[in-house]
Amino acid sequence: MGGGHGHGHGHGHSATADKRYLIGALALIAGFMVIEVVAGVIANSIALISDAAHMLTDASAIALALVAMRIAARPARGAYTFGFKRAEILSAQINGVTLLLLVAYFVYEGVQRLVDPPQVSGPLVVVTALAGIAINALAAWLMSRADRRSLNVEGAFQHVLNDMYAFIATAVSGVVVWVTGFRAADAIAALVVAALMLKAGWGLLRDSARVLLQAAPSDLDPDEIGRLLAADEDVVEVHDLHVWTVTSGYPTLSAHIIVARGADCHSLRVRLSRLLHDRFDIGHTTLQVDHGAAETDEHCDDPHGPRHLGRAPREH
């Protein structure tokens, strides 16, 4: 009987290397957000104010990413055997819920202004939106240089990118109002912004929920992994195979392996751990390796998931 772990990666992200990029993007977005709120109030533009709210969620996403990176760097101790690596997943959930709440508000405001469009200062909207495009493009460039394997960093990056698209829509609406006097264009742009926020918020909630529910990473197929492990010449059967994600970029696997009589459990475990790392980039594995008859359940009182039968002869 044998059991063991394979470790082929550093647990967590390189927060030190990325921090300056995130702080730079946060400073740009937070500074411009204040300017945009003032401009939106002066111009009476719901599109500008909704863009500013979107920038607030961008800033929150970056700030939460920074906090989560700091918390995740704390070592595992006591009851927290994985440390605090899921802090970023919890902050992603908060960020996603905040986005959806803002979507509801701006859809309501946008529809109200479609019914009764207020007077909007087109030139001020255009100038502010063009500046917003430049600020978000620079912030997105900074964040693209950080480690985007982190769900928080990638989520914040997508927020900034979507915000840049929203500013483009706002600039177009400002030109329409300025040139044609069609005041409802401002409300339409706000609805476009809400749609972008809905997409980003739903994506964050979906991806973070997969982690919290311990689903297999979207790019890994447990059945494929099970078949590959079972294909080893010394493997009789693979069962109780679990693949989940502790946090972004930290896939984890455990499985029970029944091996043929006379096989070297230790060398098999090392071989399979190396295979999982090289083929699927799974660096944290726990493999329980046993000799025994695969036809019985004596090794597992409550086996989970499908069984993957190997090529090695069964014991009778």
Side-chain angles (χ1 to χ4, degrees):
M1 179 182 295
H5 302 271
H7 302 275
H9 60 86
H11 296 169
H13 307 293
S14 178
T16 301
D18 296 337
K19 185 179 296 185
R20 63 180 184 276
Y21 297 121
L22 296 180
I23 291 176
L26 178 60
L28 284 170
I29 290 173
F32 187 77
M33 179 184 67
V34 175
I35 296 173
E36 189 177 19
V37 169
V38 174
V41 171
I42 294 173
N44 197 26
S45 169
I46 185 62
L48 281 182
I49 296 175
S50 64
D51 278 338
H54 197 173
M55 292 193 82
L56 176 60
T57 64
D58 296 344
S60 299
I62 298 172
L64 285 170
L66 287 165
V67 171
M69 289 163 67
R70 183 178 180 86
I71 294 175
R74 295 178 180 176
R77 62 167 66 94
Y80 296 92
T81 57
F82 278 109
F84 298 87
K85 299 186 183 304
R86 282 198 172 168
E88 67 154 7
I89 306 302
L90 295 176
S91 67
Q93 286 270 303
I94 295 171
N95 194 31
V97 170
T98 302
L99 275 173
L100 296 185
L101 291 174
L102 287 170
V103 166
Y105 172 74
F106 286 116
V107 166
Y108 173 79
E109 283 292 325
V111 170
Q112 289 286 97
R113 292 194 174 217
L114 275 177
V115 175
D116 184 21
Q119 187 67 39
V120 176
S121 175
L124 183 55
V125 170
V126 172
V127 171
T128 307
L130 290 176
I133 293 171
I135 292 293
N136 277 272
L138 181 56
W141 175 79
L142 284 172
M143 296 188 66
S144 70
R145 303 187 62 176
D147 183 2
R148 288 169 54 195
R149 290 175 299 176
S150 164
L151 181 59
N152 260 355
V153 173
E154 177 63 17
F157 173 78
Q158 290 298 330
H159 274 216
V160 173
L161 198 63
N162 284 332
D163 208 13
M164 185 175 68
Y165 298 149
F167 271 116
I168 294 173
T170 301
V172 171
S173 75
V175 170
V176 171
V177 172
W178 189 1
V179 174
T180 69
F182 180 61
R183 294 181 295 175
D186 183 74
I188 294 172
L191 294 175
V192 171
V193 174
L196 293 172
M197 293 169 71
L198 175 63
K199 178 177 179 293
W202 174 251
L204 276 178
L205 287 176
R206 180 197 61 218
D207 293 344
S208 56
R210 285 185 64 89
V211 176
L212 294 176
L213 294 175
Q214 294 189 300
S218 59
D219 59 338
L220 295 179
D221 181 355
D223 287 333
E224 178 188 358
I225 294 173
R227 289 191 295 268
L228 185 64
L229 294 175
D232 188 282
E233 62 182 4
D234 290 330
V235 173
V236 174
E237 180 180 297
V238 177
H239 57 253
D240 274 356
L241 173 64
H242 301 280
V243 187
W244 71 100
T245 305
V246 174
T247 190
S248 304
Y250 190 169
T252 306
L253 177 146
S254 68
H256 191 180
I257 313 291
I258 305 299
V259 304
R261 178 181 297 170
D264 185 337
C265 287
H266 178 71
S267 63
L268 174 64
R269 180 184 60 77
V270 172
R271 186 164 71 245
L272 294 181
S273 294
R274 185 178 298 115
L275 174 66
L276 290 168
H277 179 271
D278 295 344
R279 181 72 176 271
F280 300 104
D281 199 26
I282 302 176
H284 188 105
T285 59
T286 302
L287 301 177
Q288 179 183 347
V289 184
D290 289 309
H291 294 101
E295 288 87 348
T296 70
D297 287 338
E298 62 184 27
H299 294 283
C300 299
D301 293 333
D302 184 21
H304 298 279
R307 292 181 170 184
H308 302 276
L309 301 181
R311 297 184 299 172
R314 295 169 174 267
E315 299 177 20
H316 298 283

